[in-house]
Amino acid sequence: MENKTMLQYFEWYYPKDGSLWRKVSQEAGRLKQMGIDAIWLPPAHKGMEGAASTGYDSYDLYDLGEFDQKGGIPTKYGTKQEFVQAVRDAREQGIQVYADIVLNHLGGADEKQAVTVRKVDPENRNQFISEPYEIQAYTVFTYPGRNGKYSSFKWDFQCFTGVDFDAGNQESGVYSIQNQYGEGWEEVLDSEHGNYDYLMLTDIDFRNPHVREELKRWGEWFFQTAETDGYRLDAIKHMPAGFYNEWLDHMRSKTGKELFTVGEYWSPYDLQSLLDYIQQTDGRMSLFDACLQANFSRASKEGEYFDLSTILDGSLVSVRPELAVTLVENHDTQPLQSLEQTVEPWFRAHAYAIILLREAGYPCVFYSDVYGSNYTDKGTDGEDHEVTLLALPQLIALLALRRDYAYGQQRDYFDHPSCIGWTREGEQGRESAGLAVIMSNGEEGRKRMEVGTAFAGKSFRDHLGHSPGEILIGADGWAEFYAQAGSVSVWAIA
């Protein structure tokens, strides 16, 4: 079975020039040659800031850059026609497409209405700090620019659990909407702030059966419009697990397709919460391995003081490899973003070797590591900061190594705090597709490792070009491999 690799095809600061969908079409052939088998695209629908929106502030799920709403027709990434064409072009190159689905909240309502609410303590949302009273809330979505095309569903306060703004008093807060489906929050797994159902904007109430049915209808329409191969689900820790159980079962039944799905349950220091969510969803979706990404970030910042032999400890891939999507960074963890948790440049090749060249997990490569990025934004100090992210020079070689060499039995040598390694011995039909990976976060590292007798007498070289010379594999299938100080080397047949 071929190794599969996913690419997150955007970063938060991608230019607001409507060019991304066209870039997908132009680059699809090159991506396939690089070893990319699937791309995760950003939200295709119109956000509340129109062409300035990344799409995570959902306004109209049916507007894929087709209607004159929120200041224009295209989204940040292009038009509906360009999106549909991008999906088609990628799939023609043999690349699967995963769509980013953002169903936790809506924003940018068309009208406000009188709504009965109770104010809650923002740090303990289960604690009401007012009796029921009436506010003016932006909870009416009529989508006049679309004028009922595709769906005539009208959203109002009965469709939402909470808001964060009282338009009548011009007051911000967290307000629990009192509607016929409940006076409190929905039950969610995450207990941060007492209950973390409410995240932002106008929070969708999945207890309303009309909402659930509308989102199923939308899912069918979206699939018919652009036949994507799967989904990345946003903000699932703020939503009841039962909704996506119902929605995914419906979509898979209606389409007759597997529809690979990965959820964003971002709890980087709490593996148990990810396992609990997997249990609640009965393994219906994979999850991003936020815990492994946190290990990478910490290892990159602690340098030689980090114990490399523990790099996989507490990670999802170490206990549920079949449901772990591994990553080095994403649009939320990149510099100046809300969940900033960067991996320092010196360690990025180490981290990618771990997610790309081991047998466990489904690796997701980050856009900026392929293309680089340059942007300016405000930091937590309120000042503007310019950020330059350079493309990772070793990434092309690592992708090729995953595609061509990372097969067969794996042997681990996680036996030293500053130097670890592993080998793959190839498999039937890929007898020459073995390799040895060794990495150091301190001084030069050396390690005797076994690659198998099939390679006896063969010479290996470092395909990353970090370590000079060649290594001759012994008659017993063993050899001593080495890596430069603070570096990683991948030895494979010369």
Side-chain angles (χ1 to χ4, degrees):
M1 184 176 176
E2 298 283 339
N3 289 327
K4 300 299 181 184
T5 306
M6 183 195 319
L7 169 63
Q8 178 181 353
Y9 205 77
F10 66 102
E11 50 99 4
W12 188 267
Y13 298 96
Y14 186 86
K16 301 170 184 177
D17 59 4
S19 68
L20 185 66
W21 302 147
R22 296 193 301 273
K23 185 170 184 175
V24 170
S25 292
Q26 294 160 3
E27 290 280 284
R30 173 175 172 255
L31 294 176
K32 186 62 178 177
Q33 290 175 353
M34 283 169 49
I36 300 300
D37 305 286
I39 52 174
W40 152 28
L41 297 182
H45 58 260
K46 190 74 60 72
M48 63 184 287
E49 296 182 11
S53 167
T54 57
Y56 293 101
D57 53 350
S58 304
Y59 165 64
D60 186 354
L61 299 173
Y62 287 96
D63 184 356
L64 307 181
E66 180 180 4
F67 303 100
D68 191 353
Q69 299 188 112
K70 298 303 179 185
I73 294 174
T75 69
K76 173 181 176 178
Y77 310 111
T79 66
K80 175 187 176 182
Q81 183 178 3
E82 290 166 339
F83 171 65
V84 172
Q85 188 64 47
V87 174
R88 185 178 299 127
D89 290 340
R91 297 185 80 228
E92 284 179 357
Q93 293 293 335
I95 295 176
Q96 291 198 324
V97 178
Y98 304 148
D100 207 320
I101 306 297
V102 186
L103 303 183
N104 178 68
H105 49 265
L106 297 180
D110 301 300
E111 301 170 20
K112 57 182 181 289
Q113 66 184 143
V115 178
T116 299
V117 301
R118 294 183 75 179
K119 204 170 186 179
V120 303
D121 179 346
E123 297 307 313
N124 180 7
R125 276 83 177 278
N126 291 324
Q127 172 127 9
F128 293 116
I129 56 176
S130 81
E131 293 301 313
Y133 71 106
E134 194 172 273
I135 67 169
Q136 291 291 313
Y138 284 99
T139 49
V140 180
F141 293 78
T142 59
Y143 308 116
R146 181 159 53 81
N147 196 29
K149 189 174 182 180
Y150 306 131
S151 172
S152 59
F153 189 82
K154 300 293 193 294
W155 298 76
D156 64 13
F157 78 98
Q158 298 282 10
C159 303
F160 303 106
T161 65
V163 292
D164 60 0
F165 186 63
D166 173 1
N169 295 314
Q170 293 292 297
E171 182 183 11
S172 295
V174 181
Y175 304 90
S176 171
I177 291 175
Q178 314 293 285
N179 63 29
Q180 69 184 73
Y181 302 103
E183 62 172 18
W185 306 110
E186 295 191 76
E187 289 297 321
V188 296
L189 185 61
D190 195 278
S191 59
E192 190 175 345
H193 302 302
N195 176 294
Y196 217 175
D197 174 23
Y198 186 83
L199 174 64
M200 60 188 288
L201 301 175
T202 315
D203 189 78
I204 292 176
D205 193 338
F206 300 99
R207 293 171 298 200
N208 183 332
H210 304 294
V211 165
R212 296 199 307 275
E213 291 307 307
E214 168 63 8
L215 293 177
K216 289 178 192 172
R217 283 193 298 271
W218 171 78
E220 292 180 45
W221 170 86
F222 185 77
F223 181 84
Q224 291 161 4
T225 301
E227 194 175 332
T228 58
D229 301 282
Y231 308 111
R232 179 265 184 188
L233 305 180
D234 184 61
I236 59 173
K237 69 190 289 185
H238 309 284
M239 305 166 68
F243 165 71
Y244 269 128
N245 290 347
E246 184 179 327
W247 191 83
L248 285 172
D249 286 353
H250 176 82
M251 291 302 301
R252 287 163 174 159
S253 173
K254 282 290 184 180
T255 64
K257 294 184 178 296
E258 175 192 356
L259 296 176
F260 170 83
T261 300
V262 55
E264 180 217 15
Y265 196 109
W266 203 259
S267 290
Y269 306 107
D270 183 9
L271 172 61
Q272 190 57 50
S273 66
L274 275 66
L275 297 175
D276 290 345
Y277 190 84
I278 286 171
Q279 183 177 22
Q280 286 197 3
T281 53
D282 198 23
R284 283 177 172 85
M285 68 179 81
S286 297
L287 296 180
F288 288 107
D289 196 343
C291 303
L292 180 62
Q293 197 276 333
N295 287 355
F296 289 156
S297 178
R298 188 159 63 89
S300 77
K301 291 173 170 59
E302 293 181 9
E304 62 183 318
Y305 300 105
F306 182 86
D307 183 349
L308 271 183
S309 69
T310 68
I311 193 70
L312 298 177
D313 287 6
S315 66
L316 183 62
V317 75
S318 68
V319 292
R320 292 300 301 268
E322 77 284 6
L323 293 178
V325 172
T326 53
L327 72 161
V328 176
E329 206 151 308
N330 69 17
H331 64 294
D332 286 325
T333 67
Q334 71 182 99
L336 304 181
Q337 265 307 291
S338 57
L339 301 175
E340 180 176 330
Q341 192 164 260
T342 55
V343 176
E344 298 299 315
W346 76 271
F347 194 75
R348 295 177 89 84
H350 294 62
Y352 271 112
I354 290 170
I355 71 170
L356 291 172
L357 304 182
R358 295 180 60 75
E359 62 185 343
Y362 184 1
C364 182
V365 175
F366 185 41
Y367 177 95
S368 297
D369 288 317
V370 176
Y371 294 100
S373 303
N374 181 264
Y375 55 89
T376 300
D377 200 359
K378 292 192 181 301
T380 53
D381 57 4
E383 300 295 320
D384 283 341
H385 297 267
E386 183 176 2
V387 174
T388 299
L389 302 177
L390 299 177
L392 182 66
Q394 302 96 331
L395 186 54
I396 299 300
L398 286 164
L399 287 168
L401 284 161
R402 174 172 176 79
R403 182 191 61 213
D404 299 333
Y405 289 90
Y407 295 95
Q409 181 180 343
Q410 178 174 292
R411 298 180 180 89
D412 285 340
Y413 300 85
F414 284 44
D415 52 5
H416 192 280
S418 61
C419 180
I420 62 170
W422 66 91
T423 64
R424 306 290 298 276
E425 70 167 27
E427 62 186 12
Q428 188 172 1
R430 293 189 180 94
E431 282 76 10
S432 63
L435 52 75
V437 181
I438 181 169
M439 63 180 63
S440 164
N441 65 355
E443 299 177 349
E444 178 187 5
R446 290 182 172 270
K447 196 173 294 292
R448 184 168 165 78
M449 300 189 292
E450 180 183 6
V451 292
T453 54
F455 294 102
K458 301 288 178 62
S459 291
F460 276 29
R461 65 176 175 86
D462 177 12
H463 283 239
L464 299 187
H466 293 163
S467 295
E470 295 188 356
I471 293 174
L472 185 67
I473 309 301
D476 58 358
W478 287 71
E480 184 177 71
F481 299 93
Y482 57 93
Q484 303 299 308
S487 183
V488 55
S489 289
V490 183
W491 298 88
I493 203 159

